[in-house]
Amino acid sequence: MEQLQNKVPCREEQLNDLFNLLGDGDECLPCSIFISGSMATGKTLCVNSVLRCLNYKHVIIDCIECYTPKIIFETILSGLEDEEIEVKCETLMDLVNGLNRLQETRLGYDPIVLVFDRAERLRNLDANIMSAFLKLRELCNLNICCIFVTHLIYENFNFRRGAREPIKLYFSNYNKEELFRIIFLQQKPFIHHLLVSYEVDNEIKGELEKPELFANFLNAFLSVFYRPCRDLIELQHMACVNFIKYCEPIIKNEISATDLTKLWRHISPILKSSLELLYLRISDAKSVKPSPGKENSDTDSTPHNFENMLKEELTSTKTFAQSFELPYYAKFLLIAAYLASYNSPMEDKRLFMKNHGKQRKRLQQIKAKAKISEKLNTQLGPKVFTLHRLLAIFYAILEEKIGLTSNLLAQIATLVELKLIAGSKEIDLDTAKYKCIVGYDFIAAVAQTVGFNVRKYLYDFM
Amino acid sequence: MCGLQTENPLEVQIKLIRKYLKLKIMADNESFHGHPQERNHVYDLFKRTVAHGESHSALMIGPRGSGKTTLINSVLQQISKEVDLSNDALVIRLNGLIHSDDKISLKSITAQMQLENAVGDRVFGTFAENLAFLLSCLQSGADRRCKSMLFILEEFDMFCHVGRTQTLLYNLFDITHSAQAPMCVLGVTNRIDVVELLEKRVKSRFSHRHIFIFPNEDSEGAPHAKYRDRLVNTLCLPRTKTVATPKKKGRSRKSTVTSEDLMEIDQETTSLPDSILSRHTDLQNLDQEFLQDWNAHVTGLAEEQKVLDCLEKLCYYTVNEQIFRNVLFELVSKLSVNKPYIDVSDLSAIIDKTVAPEHRVKLLQSLSILELSLVIAMKHGMEIFDGEPMNFEMVLHRYTKFSNSNSSTQTVPRPVILKAFEHLQELEIIMPVRTTDSIYNTTDTTASRVQKEYKLFTLAIPSDDISEAVKNFKALPTEISHWYNNSVV
């Protein structure tokens, strides 16, 4: 028990509950247990380690892997067999028969636990399957218990016909202190990771291994990251990446390990910038070794550079947009498409014609001027436009006069191909309808390269 | 806890009690209380079919957890004591959950009649032929008249396949009208409108005998009095029928081993329709004095006002027997050496947890502050626009408006906010609205082809839960609760 609690920190209450419910080997199991809780709260870990500790016969079914009833049934039956046997099981009846046969032949009244991980997937299957598993104990005469592990709450599972109520447990998320405690346990691997990537002499190594340093780092780290993210897995990953950066000046002897304010000043901009990388998992180029064997020695640096490039491209929309290297006219076509998507056709005259006449101010228009933010075009998403409108706007925003060549039309097809515009690839002059599917940031970056001000032509910003 | 064996006699006793009570709560599906009239009705039907060879059909209707199956079990058990059930009759149990179509049902019927060999590889033209063959097998096999058959169809509504023909039901009900074989068909369901689901030809063959079981029908006085009785009934241990063996004290290690041996025998026999209570031989290891103590404790518990209040609360929410059993199970599983008696506060905590789990509030509270802010932003937005669905851009707009007005909050880059939004979506706190979006033809389900920033969502959580979560959120920055309460900006 002690050992288990060290392995699964900060989950004492839940572990106790599970132990109590599952009881001892010769006791009755409950009919079914429903465990819910947000991602990365240790649900699966708790269940698995408790079951391993109790040494019950159990099968863990990952409902992503087992996407049809047949696979689920067969996994259960073959999991309960001792040796590897091909099991055929098509229907629930076969499963129940199979379980009963097992009971007669070998298992007797030994406790059996079926764990359905990511049970939310069960909803995609036939609705009856989950209700049947909820009362599996009644359907076959085994000492069997089904545990459902999911990040949804029980209310999200609505059974049309009602079902036998399970015993529900909830795993709440770790709070800041608990996160601190858990990540702190990772100090050794972090340091190890650090030492692998850098050559450090012994004196500094001693400095780095001090727990105070790591604790200080974690405090700083969590103060930035706790707010947007409580996902342990993600936080651990980010902590690992940032700890290396935290230690860099110490290794280079620029800042001493005890100078906390300086270290904080050093790390806080880094943390802020890496906040942008949260969830993106763009690996730090340094920690990734190019896979051996495939590359020749002289091209070794290429993947390295490529990784860096990719990282940069993904981090800012601007560089990403530039990485497309579109032709000059294609850029204008894209801008025209964006304007066509985000302006209403009613305003075209006003926006794009030189002499659009004086605007009469009517009450209606004044009202329309008091724009409601939620009804802005830029917030409602792109609208559909026809090819005619696209070309009209294209010629309006393009200063020079060019002919409408097939080359130009082919550019549209290219944009569609690149998934910058949604629509049909074939250009049909009469019926084709398009929609621009890139965001404002992207368009602004493209427009900048051709010296065009998009904002000026957007009705929302007038 | 994990298989530790100690010399402490108290621990052994507690373990035995715990095991015994768990068995009683979970495995006992035969002892039935109340509803004497309905029980007699079912008993009568079965008895007449088995003993006099009459044919009947009936439907038993009652909500979940009202004891329908238990009633049938207890009736069957009673009958088996009176007549030779295994020789005179065949009990065939089908469950709509498992036997989801007629083919499977027939296979199962064949298996339960033990006629697989007789059928072999024979091919039948129709369902009726097959069933008739099965019946004739029974007839010719035995030297006398055909055995009576009790068909018990649980989840009866599942057999009324919508859109498919109800061949099985038709044939079963048809046989109850012909003199082919004495047969009783009892459907068990929780759908009160189940007769409406039947085909016309099936309906006309059904006897329209309904047996209703409603949980609170026969209780006089306060409804929670029934729960109290059940509590005492379930948790008390029978004291009289065992002769205490002298070896239980001191040598507990030995006694647990023997008890396990006895348990083996014991478990094999639980499938017999005999009462489980009388078969628990490991009860012999229970100390009589201790039992007396325990029973006194349970009856004392039932007198306490707090316990009564808890039970009353429970029965305001639910009259489901299964839920009550779950509560008892949790209660019993908390027993241990350090806590040899049932704690009233435990009971109330478990009942609170069962009737009002508030997992939704807890779910909200385990969101990160950014995610909660998005939920609040969305709630405000939907308040302003009368529950119109919102997309990511709108929520983001509201959120940035808030975070700009509060200089203390750190700004978070857009991709991270988008990810937080997706996280909410994954937790089904917000649900996508099915929209039909223009350009692509209507047959195409376009919801997936709209950019994710513009997909429309509604909040799938009642605003009361959000208020509750915000109120009790630990370490929530004040500006956020302020923002929430001062609402619409």
Side-chain angles (χ1 to χ4, degrees):
Chain A
M1 190 72 188
E2 281 280 295
Q3 199 187 349
L4 201 66
Q5 288 200 342
N6 287 334
K7 216 177 109 197
V8 190
C10 307
R11 287 279 96 136
E12 286 84 10
E13 195 190 323
Q14 281 84 357
L15 283 175
N16 266 335
D17 278 348
L18 275 175
F19 268 119
N20 282 338
L21 286 176
L22 295 177
D24 283 349
D26 55 346
E27 285 176 10
C28 243
L29 290 174
C31 195
S32 51
I33 303 176
F34 186 90
I35 296 175
S36 53
S38 191
M39 294 88 165
T41 47
K43 303 181 290 291
T44 311
L45 178 65
C46 277
V47 171
N48 289 357
S49 38
V50 165
L51 285 176
R52 218 169 300 134
C53 173
L54 289 171
N55 207 6
Y56 286 179
K57 212 168 182 83
H58 63 274
V59 186
I60 293 164
I61 301 122
D62 190 330
C63 297
I64 290 186
E65 287 170 27
C66 305
Y67 53 92
T68 64
K70 189 173 172 239
I71 302 177
I72 294 182
F73 302 153
E74 286 175 0
T75 320
I76 293 173
L77 284 181
S78 58
L80 291 176
E81 297 279 355
D82 292 327
E83 61 263 34
E84 295 266 314
I85 322 173
E86 277 282 295
V87 196
K88 273 244 147 59
C89 184
E90 299 265 353
T91 61
L92 256 177
M93 187 180 78
D94 294 338
L95 177 75
V96 172
N97 289 342
L99 286 175
N100 283 336
R101 204 174 48 244
L102 277 176
Q103 188 252 335
E104 278 158 24
T105 50
R106 280 180 303 106
L107 293 172
Y109 207 65
D110 292 345
I112 298 171
V113 180
L114 305 180
V115 182
F116 294 88
D117 207 348
R118 290 184 250 256
E120 65 273 359
R121 298 275 167 156
L122 285 176
R123 296 181 305 171
N124 301 343
L125 305 179
D126 186 5
N128 300 326
I129 297 221
M130 178 114 178
S131 337
F133 279 127
L134 275 170
K135 56 191 296 183
L136 191 62
R137 199 196 161 83
E138 290 174 30
L139 299 175
C140 57
N141 40 23
L142 283 159
N143 190 10
I144 199 166
C145 171
C146 294
I147 301 183
F148 300 89
V149 179
T150 171
H151 61 249
L152 297 180
I153 50 174
Y154 186 69
E155 281 83 346
N156 284 99
F157 289 74
N158 34 10
F159 302 100
R160 205 157 35 87
R161 314 177 47 258
R164 197 192 204 287
E165 293 273 320
I167 294 176
K168 294 163 220 151
L169 293 182
Y170 189 81
F171 281 51
S172 51
N173 219 334
Y174 303 110
N175 59 30
K176 205 167 173 176
E177 290 74 42
E178 285 168 334
L179 283 173
F180 183 87
R181 261 180 64 195
I182 295 169
I183 303 179
F184 196 75
L185 294 176
Q186 297 283 321
Q187 195 205 359
K188 286 245 165 59
F190 279 18
I191 301 266
H192 177 75
H193 188 84
L194 185 70
L195 294 180
V196 167
S197 19
Y198 288 97
E199 289 195 2
V200 186
D201 51 39
N202 278 335
E203 191 186 333
I204 295 178
K205 194 176 157 192
E207 291 275 311
L208 291 176
E209 274 168 358
K210 274 188 187 154
E212 296 90 52
L213 180 78
F214 192 64
N216 277 323
F217 162 72
L218 267 190
N219 268 330
F221 172 77
L222 281 178
S223 71
V224 175
F225 276 84
Y226 180 67
R227 202 182 164 96
C229 176
R230 280 174 82 177
D231 190 316
L232 177 64
I233 298 170
E234 209 54 48
L235 285 177
Q236 237 165 26
H237 173 74
M238 294 311 285
C240 181
V241 171
N242 284 305
F243 184 58
I244 295 174
K245 290 183 186 142
Y246 189 71
C247 295
E248 252 170 35
I250 302 174
I251 293 166
K252 288 181 192 152
N253 264 327
E254 283 163 9
I255 305 173
S256 84
T258 46
D259 193 351
L260 294 179
T261 35
K262 248 190 181 164
L263 276 175
W264 164 246
R265 253 184 242 138
H266 159 73
I267 197 69
S268 68
I270 295 177
L271 285 179
K272 281 226 173 80
S273 66
S274 64
L275 192 60
E276 292 185 33
L277 299 177
L278 188 63
Y279 298 118
L280 291 179
R281 290 282 175 137
I282 300 163
S283 54
D284 206 17
K286 278 173 199 141
S287 61
V288 177
K289 300 266 187 303
S291 61
K294 279 190 178 176
E295 285 91 12
N296 300 326
S297 52
D298 50 3
T299 55
D300 238 348
S301 55
T302 2
H304 187 96
N305 275 341
F306 178 71
E307 292 249 351
N308 267 342
M309 252 166 61
L310 186 74
K311 185 182 164 189
E312 257 168 32
E313 274 167 17
L314 287 176
T315 42
S316 96
T317 332
K318 198 175 159 193
T319 44
F320 177 63
Q322 279 159 0
S323 73
F324 272 96
E325 293 179 3
L326 292 169
Y328 185 70
Y329 291 127
K331 281 179 183 164
F332 270 101
L333 271 173
L334 187 61
I335 295 168
Y338 184 82
L339 293 177
S341 275
Y342 288 94
N343 284 322
S344 96
M346 312 269 286
E347 307 297 330
D348 279 354
K349 195 180 165 198
R350 219 168 85 70
L351 285 168
F352 301 112
M353 282 175 63
K354 292 251 161 59
N355 312 310
H356 50 74
K358 219 180 182 182
Q359 252 218 327
R360 272 196 227 125
K361 286 208 170 149
R362 278 176 296 171
L363 190 65
Q364 222 178 8
Q365 274 173 331
I366 295 167
K367 252 189 206 161
K369 268 279 177 190
K371 286 170 208 158
I372 314 158
S373 65
E374 263 75 6
K375 297 282 177 265
L376 283 180
N377 281 327
T378 37
Q379 291 200 12
L380 286 175
K383 301 277 185 304
V384 184
F385 54 87
T386 58
L387 182 65
H388 295 297
R389 192 162 160 240
L390 173 67
L391 290 174
I393 295 176
F394 172 69
Y395 280 111
I397 59 175
L398 197 66
E399 310 275 279
E400 55 196 301
K401 291 267 174 286
I402 54 156
L404 181 63
T405 59
S406 59
N407 258 343
L408 204 56
L409 292 176
Q411 301 279 345
I412 299 176
T414 314
L415 290 176
V416 173
E417 192 89 337
L418 286 171
K419 299 266 160 37
L420 301 174
I421 297 178
S424 57
K425 268 178 232 165
E426 292 83 44
I427 294 177
D428 180 346
L429 289 175
D430 294 324
T431 56
K433 294 197 166 173
Y434 299 93
K435 189 158 95 165
C436 182
I437 49 174
V438 291
Y440 176 76
D441 295 341
F442 190 97
I443 282 295
V446 171
Q448 207 190 12
T449 58
V450 291
F452 183 83
N453 187 357
V454 192
R455 246 181 134 78
K456 224 171 91 188
Y457 288 94
L458 275 174
Y459 182 66
D460 285 348
F461 295 117
M462 306 227 9
Chain B
M1 181 166 275
C2 334
L4 280 180
Q5 295 202 333
T6 47
E7 302 290 325
N8 187 355
L10 179 69
E11 185 169 348
V12 177
Q13 292 300 318
I14 293 287
K15 264 192 69 167
L16 280 175
I17 283 204
R18 207 168 74 170
K19 173 170 149 192
Y20 180 80
L21 288 178
K22 277 189 176 179
L23 266 173
K24 194 168 170 187
I25 293 166
M26 293 313 295
D28 175 18
N29 55 1
E30 278 165 6
S31 52
F32 185 74
H33 307 269
H35 301 286
Q37 209 179 340
E38 287 80 8
R39 192 175 181 282
N40 278 340
H41 198 155
V42 176
Y43 173 73
D44 210 36
L45 282 182
F46 282 0
K47 186 79 198 249
R48 287 204 327 241
T49 310
V50 175
H52 310 299
E54 294 175 19
S55 283
H56 294 287
S57 55
L59 263 180
M60 193 193 286
I61 300 173
R64 280 197 187 274
S66 53
K68 304 178 290 293
T69 310
T70 317
L71 186 146
I72 292 173
N73 284 337
S74 86
V75 167
L76 283 179
Q77 197 230 341
Q78 190 187 346
I79 289 180
S80 72
K81 275 185 196 150
E82 291 165 15
V83 295
D84 188 3
L85 198 63
S86 55
N87 267 332
D88 283 357
L90 266 173
V91 181
I92 292 163
R93 308 191 75 142
L94 299 177
N95 190 316
L97 279 176
I98 304 178
H99 307 103
S100 47
D101 70 50
D102 288 347
K103 233 190 206 158
I104 297 174
S105 309
L106 198 63
K107 225 164 119 189
S108 177
I109 293 172
T110 318
Q112 291 190 43
M113 287 176 166
Q114 291 166 340
L115 286 175
E116 284 120 323
N117 294 334
V119 173
D121 291 333
R122 233 175 270 252
V123 180
F124 295 99
T126 64
F127 191 88
E129 271 174 40
N130 197 338
L131 200 61
F133 172 76
L134 292 179
L135 291 178
S136 67
C137 276
L138 283 181
Q139 244 156 353
S140 58
D143 45 353
R144 53 200 181 102
R145 63 185 176 82
C146 184
K147 280 188 195 175
S148 310
M149 277 180 293
L150 303 176
F151 272 90
I152 297 164
L153 308 179
E154 288 187 55
E155 313 283 342
F156 182 76
D157 47 321
M158 302 273 290
F159 287 101
C160 313
H161 318 290
V162 182
R164 275 181 287 165
T165 48
Q166 302 164 352
T167 324
L168 174 77
L169 295 184
Y170 171 74
N171 281 297
L172 287 182
F173 283 137
D174 198 43
I175 297 170
T176 61
H177 283 269
S178 68
Q180 233 176 335
M183 173 149 98
C184 178
V185 180
L186 181 64
V188 183
T189 178
N190 57 350
R191 274 186 74 162
I192 206 154
D193 63 338
V194 71
V195 181
E196 304 304 314
L197 298 174
L198 295 175
E199 280 171 28
K200 207 169 135 204
R201 57 173 188 160
V202 180
K203 212 194 248 176
S204 67
R205 282 168 175 77
F206 170 57
S207 69
H208 288 272
R209 197 181 277 120
H210 288 90
I211 302 166
F212 291 101
I213 294 192
F214 294 118
N216 273 339
E217 207 177 36
D218 56 346
S219 65
E220 296 99 27
H224 63 275
K226 195 184 114 198
Y227 268 161
R228 191 194 57 204
D229 295 345
R230 299 278 295 116
L231 177 84
V232 175
N233 221 322
T234 318
L235 293 186
C236 275
L237 299 165
R239 209 160 50 78
T240 43
K241 64 175 64 126
T242 47
V243 190
T245 43
K247 67 178 174 187
K248 88 271 160 183
K249 262 184 188 162
R251 296 271 71 81
S252 51
R253 186 185 295 267
K254 202 165 128 203
S255 77
T256 26
V257 172
T258 43
S259 89
E260 267 160 18
D261 290 345
L262 291 168
M263 191 67 189
E264 299 277 328
I265 308 161
D266 174 54
Q267 288 314 327
E268 280 165 17
T269 49
T270 38
S271 57
L272 289 175
D274 210 272
S275 161
I276 295 174
L277 294 188
S278 56
R279 322 215 120 256
H280 271 269
T281 35
D282 63 324
L283 197 68
Q284 282 167 2
N285 297 320
L286 278 168
D287 183 3
Q288 288 301 302
E289 255 172 67
F290 191 83
L291 274 187
Q292 202 164 11
D293 210 27
W294 172 261
N295 285 353
H297 164 62
V298 172
T299 31
L301 204 64
E303 303 285 298
E304 267 184 64
Q305 189 55 41
K306 255 179 112 180
V307 175
L308 291 182
D309 288 345
C310 289
L311 291 177
E312 193 171 354
K313 187 168 176 188
L314 179 65
C315 72
Y316 279 148
Y317 281 96
T318 175
V319 284
N320 191 332
E321 170 92 22
Q322 288 163 348
I323 293 178
F324 182 60
R325 278 182 190 228
N326 278 350
V327 169
L328 290 184
F329 188 88
E330 282 184 69
L331 192 63
V332 167
S333 64
K334 279 197 195 301
L335 293 177
S336 66
V337 191
N338 308 328
K339 234 178 77 185
Y341 291 112
I342 292 173
D343 197 356
V344 182
S345 59
D346 269 350
L347 178 69
S348 71
I350 291 169
I351 286 183
D352 278 345
K353 220 180 89 193
T354 316
V355 296
E358 299 207 317
H359 284 169
R360 215 183 262 133
V361 176
K362 283 185 195 156
L363 184 72
L364 283 174
Q365 280 170 352
S366 51
L367 293 178
S368 72
I369 290 167
L370 172 66
E371 287 153 359
L372 188 71
S373 314
L374 291 183
V375 171
I376 295 174
M378 192 148 176
K379 182 185 171 263
H380 286 170
M382 289 183 69
E383 255 166 29
I384 298 171
F385 293 103
D386 250 358
E388 287 279 316
M390 295 175 76
N391 63 27
F392 172 68
E393 291 290 334
M394 298 175 189
V395 177
L396 180 68
H397 179 81
R398 293 224 143 253
Y399 174 72
T400 38
K401 223 156 117 187
F402 159 71
S403 61
N404 287 345
S405 65
N406 281 280
S407 50
S408 64
T409 51
Q410 299 158 348
T411 48
V412 189
R414 186 189 151 104
V416 176
I417 303 181
L418 183 58
K419 188 71 197 179
F421 195 72
E422 281 168 358
H423 190 220
L424 292 178
Q425 194 183 332
E426 220 169 317
L427 290 173
E428 300 196 3
I429 290 173
I430 54 175
M431 294 283 241
V433 182
R434 299 244 168 273
T435 44
T436 41
D437 187 69
S438 55
I439 50 168
Y440 314 101
N441 46 3
T442 42
T443 51
D444 191 343
T445 43
T446 53
S448 56
R449 302 194 60 175
V450 182
Q451 288 155 272
K452 55 186 173 187
E453 290 97 327
Y454 300 113
K455 227 191 246 179
L456 289 172
F457 287 93
T458 48
L459 208 51
I461 284 200
S463 56
D464 293 347
D465 282 353
I466 302 177
S467 326
E468 188 71 21
V470 170
K471 213 164 72 192
N472 300 324
F473 202 108
K474 282 187 201 97
L476 185 76
T478 41
E479 73 262 14
I480 290 196
S481 58
H482 194 252
W483 178 41
Y484 177 79
N485 293 323
N486 285 10
S487 117
V488 187
V489 193

